[in-house]
Amino acid sequence: MADIIELLPDHVANQIAAGEVVQRPASVVKELLENSIDAGATYIKLVIKDAGKTLVQVIDDGMGMSVTDARLCFERHATSKIRSADDLFGIHTKGFRGEALASIGAIAHVELQTKTDGKELGTTIIMEGSEVKSQEASVVPKGTAISVKHLFFNIPARRNFLKSDTVELRHVIDEFHRVALAHPNVAFSMWHNGTEMFSTPSSNFRQRIVNLFGFKMNEKLVPVNEATELVDIDGFVLKPEFSKKGKNDQYFFVNDRFIKSPYLHHAVKSAFEGLIKDGYQPGYFLKFKVDPKSIDINIHPTKTEIKFDDEHSLYALIRAAVKHSLGQYNVAPVLDFDRDSQLDTPYNYKDKPVTWPTVEVDRNFNPFQEETKYRSSGFTNFKSKQKESWESLYVDLELEPKGDAESAVIGIEQDFKHSKIFGEDDTEVQIKTYQIFTKYVITALKSGMLIIDQNRAHQRILYEEYLKQLTTKASVSQQLLFPLTLEFTRKEFSVLDTIKEDLAHAGLLYSSVSDSKIEVTGVPIGVPESEVLTIIEDLISDVTQEIPDTNFGTHDMVSKSLSKSLAIKTGQSLSALEQEDLVNRLFACKEPSLSPFNKPIFITMALGDIEKQFKL
């Protein structure tokens, strides 16, 4: 039998490795930024074009590379971070595998310019698909500047799978935030298509959060600090009232490396138990310092998953630290049995000066005076108001005299026609609706009974209405007398830009005031102004999680999000007319049996099944 196993060429192996390391332009941004951090840079500049599809350039003032290192860095498993297998258990750097630059060079056009301190000349290398086109000495500043152009130029299928520029830009911003938050002592800037999006000077952790997410973030932060033998916890959590439905503003950093951990997220969420509503997620920016030997980073190609030696103790410490901070800063309610809340100064009076109370005395008052004089002081005698007879209390009622009072009452009760309910001539049955548990609407059918979930029913009604408005571009908007000014982060603002036209067709009109503020001038009919911010935040969260590409997908997502936010909630009481209108509008829909999220809207109970229950 002939030998069939062969060693793959380097360029093929690099393309295979690139499939794991480089998934989209954001992956290139992450690897290059982390290399700059490992090089000891104090300032890093990120420049991208067309969301990174055309260009990703990272410029830093780090230590730079020598001529030999510049050429060797594009080889597989060539790294300066580790020397032996034992070093894997004490990693202090971001990279250590030596695969990033080799993978990037295999699927893009790469230009590298680098120079070490003290050298007069640097090195410029140009590569295309793992092939070195040129290498020469050049005059370049200290540090490293690497440009990645035409990503996936030799893998058309991978390039076609990339999302729209807006979606890819959102992923790039995510990676930029993660690296910039982990290293507040390093100055960062980010440019997209010639426009500066972020500029963050060297600062502390709190200032870095505010620089990236806006000034309003400062009032939302609650400090968390705890030092133990196992872990040092430092960072912030967001106040419970600023929790959102989406998983935004959730950042864990272990030894200045961003990680994802559902287990640790549950620890933080359990600390907020009873403070946030069901379905909402807490926000946090938490840094952990642990012994590098107690964690394993080498378990995932993206290095965003970490295995801890003692996860249970870490869980308990995080939960306790967050609960302690919420209580320490009076965010969580506390029990103090020695405190009398009635002695607290009202908020409206806390800044007012203290004055002596004034006492007014009626010196003419004498309880032993005659009745006429007593009346003159402004009081009336109860006996003077007594009526002559009880019949005067019913002056306005026209009662027919039927003898004594008892017979009159009996006569009134007999006015109701109970016999008609059981009469044989009464063949017309009036169908009514009833609401139970302020959640379900019950109505009768010829064959039994119908139980409708009011929230899901209204979701279906609103969904089809908004979807029709978006597809036909025929909307009705309620203009605001005073426009609302709302502020969002750059990432949220970019999401709004993608669906601005769809929101206008749905009746939500706004204009951009700056790169992070909008001015809402019109809202859909029936939407209160107080709910506009919540609706937009929920919409941004839904769009971010779904990431629709097609035009119909965007219409569908916007319609679903708006219907979910504006639908009648469980616990809302409905009048008889509102119940009847809900039933009629539901069965006028094209698909009345399922909600927009494919959940059943109603169930039926046949008359025969009900009768069987009584025969048991």
Side-chain angles (χ1 to χ4, degrees), residues 14 17 21 31 35 72-82 94-103 303:
N14 288 339
V21 178
E31 298 294 343
N35 283 343
L72 196 60
C73 71
F74 289 102
E75 298 295 330
R76 291 190 68 201
H77 309 303
T79 179
S80 62
K81 316 298 172 60
I82 60 175
K94 297 291 180 293
F96 54 87
R97 293 198 183 104
E99 291 182 337
L101 290 180
S103 300
K303 292 170 284 192

Side-chain angles (χ1 to χ4, degrees), residues 206 218-224 236-243 268 271-276 282-283 321-335:
R206 189 184 193 113
N218 190 35
E219 64 183 21
K220 304 178 183 179
L221 301 177
V222 178
V224 178
F236 304 90
V237 294
L238 299 188
K239 295 178 181 178
E241 58 264 32
F242 298 107
S243 59
V268 178
F272 280 83
E273 187 176 1
L275 299 177
I276 59 178
V322 173
K323 288 186 75 71
H324 175 70
S325 295
L326 294 176
Q328 182 181 5
Y329 291 94
N330 296 325
V331 177
V334 295
L335 292 176

Side-chain angles (χ1 to χ4, degrees), residues 392-398:
S392 61
L393 298 175
Y394 302 94
V395 174
D396 296 333
L397 298 180
E398 297 180 359

Side-chain angles (χ1 to χ4, degrees), residues 443-594:
T443 184
L445 296 174
K446 292 182 179 180
S447 59
M449 185 172 58
L450 191 70
I451 304 176
I452 303 173
D453 188 308
Q454 64 184 34
N455 176 256
R456 296 180 184 178
H458 202 210
Q459 282 185 12
R460 165 55 62 177
I461 295 169
L462 295 178
Y463 169 73
E464 293 197 4
E465 289 179 356
Y466 284 123
L467 189 61
K468 181 179 179 181
Q469 291 179 12
L470 292 176
T471 52
T472 60
K473 299 182 179 181
S475 62
V476 179
S477 179
Q478 177 181 348
Q479 299 299 306
L480 299 179
L481 184 60
F482 300 102
L484 295 176
T485 301
L486 306 176
E487 185 174 356
F488 299 95
T489 63
R490 299 287 183 88
K491 178 184 174 182
E492 293 171 339
F493 194 78
S494 64
V495 175
L496 280 177
D497 276 346
T498 61
I499 56 176
K500 182 176 182 180
E501 185 177 353
D502 294 322
L503 292 180
H505 295 324
L508 184 60
L509 306 177
Y510 73 90
S511 58
S512 301
V513 178
S514 64
D515 55 357
S516 61
K517 290 184 179 180
I518 66 171
E519 190 176 75
V520 180
T521 57
V523 296
I525 298 295
V527 176
E529 294 183 22
S530 58
E531 298 292 330
V532 174
L533 178 60
T534 304
I535 292 171
I536 295 179
E537 288 179 345
D538 292 345
L539 182 62
I540 292 174
S541 175
D542 293 338
V543 174
T544 302
Q545 292 177 3
E546 291 291 335
I547 312 179
D549 284 330
T550 62
N551 192 34
F552 176 76
T554 306
H555 294 343
D556 183 69
M557 174 50 55
V558 173
S559 301
K560 285 182 178 179
S561 182
L562 289 176
S563 63
K564 181 176 65 175
S565 301
L566 299 176
I568 298 170
K569 300 297 186 291
T570 298
Q572 183 174 344
S573 180
L574 302 178
S575 65
L577 291 177
E578 290 173 335
Q579 297 170 26
E580 185 178 355
D581 179 68
L582 182 70
V583 175
N584 293 335
R585 292 171 64 189
L586 172 64
F587 288 99
C589 295
K590 295 181 179 179
E591 183 56 64
S593 59
L594 293 175

